[in-house]
Amino acid sequence: MNGVSETGVMVNVDGTGNRVAGSLFGHKKVYFVLGVNKIMPTLEEAIYRARNVAAPKNVLRHGYKCGCSLQGGDRCYDCSAPDRICNVLAIYYKKMRNIEMEVILINEDLGY
Ligand code: SF4
């Protein structure tokens, strides 16, 4: 998970869709483990964080050549690079029907 609003709406950016797909369907129960560094005041700020903080850091970690990494990872440049990891943005307003979902919030900065 790349960001969550103070009202509990979560957002996730994905490049191939495997993480988003697996979190929405096909499993009996899904756990989301989040550090408090993902919490932002509003949904808009959570989306901004996902796109401009989490994604560039992940690109740098993987060593991909994308608009953000070529600029040092300071923000998103909405690139069209083959390595682009931002191809879908999922917004989790509430849990999906017919699946159990649990959010575990850890009082530490974890991941991006
Ligand atoms: S869209 Fe491109 S520039 Fe923006 S964060 Fe994703 S990979 Fe980086």
Side-chain angles (χ1 to χ4, degrees):
M1 200 57 57
N2 304 133
V4 57
S5 72
E6 288 182 351
T7 56
V9 179
M10 302 187 297
V11 299
N12 204 6
V13 171
D14 205 354
T16 61
N18 59 319
R19 290 177 306 140
V20 166
S23 71
L24 296 175
F25 188 79
H27 300 283
K28 286 175 66 175
K29 185 159 186 174
V30 174
Y31 294 91
F32 297 97
V33 181
L34 311 176
V36 291
N37 53 317
K38 308 290 177 66
I39 300 173
M40 302 300 291
T42 66
L43 172 59
E44 289 72 22
E45 287 166 283
I47 292 171
Y48 183 91
R49 182 191 189 285
R51 298 197 65 196
N52 290 280
V53 177
K57 285 184 176 178
N58 268 318
V59 170
L60 286 172
R61 175 172 66 92
H62 286 293
Y64 294 152
K65 290 183 171 45
C66 297
C68 53
S69 60
L70 295 174
Q71 297 295 327
D74 60 333
R75 66 174 173 85
C76 174
Y77 288 82
D78 197 18
C79 73
S80 297
D83 283 342
R84 175 178 167 127
I85 67 165
C86 313
N87 297 321
V88 65
L89 173 69
I91 300 176
Y92 302 73
Y93 291 109
K94 297 289 183 188
K95 81 171 200 68
M96 303 300 289
R97 287 186 289 174
N98 305 322
I99 186 172
E100 289 183 56
M101 293 182 154
E102 191 164 326
V103 177
I104 300 167
L105 187 61
I106 298 180
N107 192 23
E108 294 178 26
D109 289 352
L110 297 174
Y112 303 136

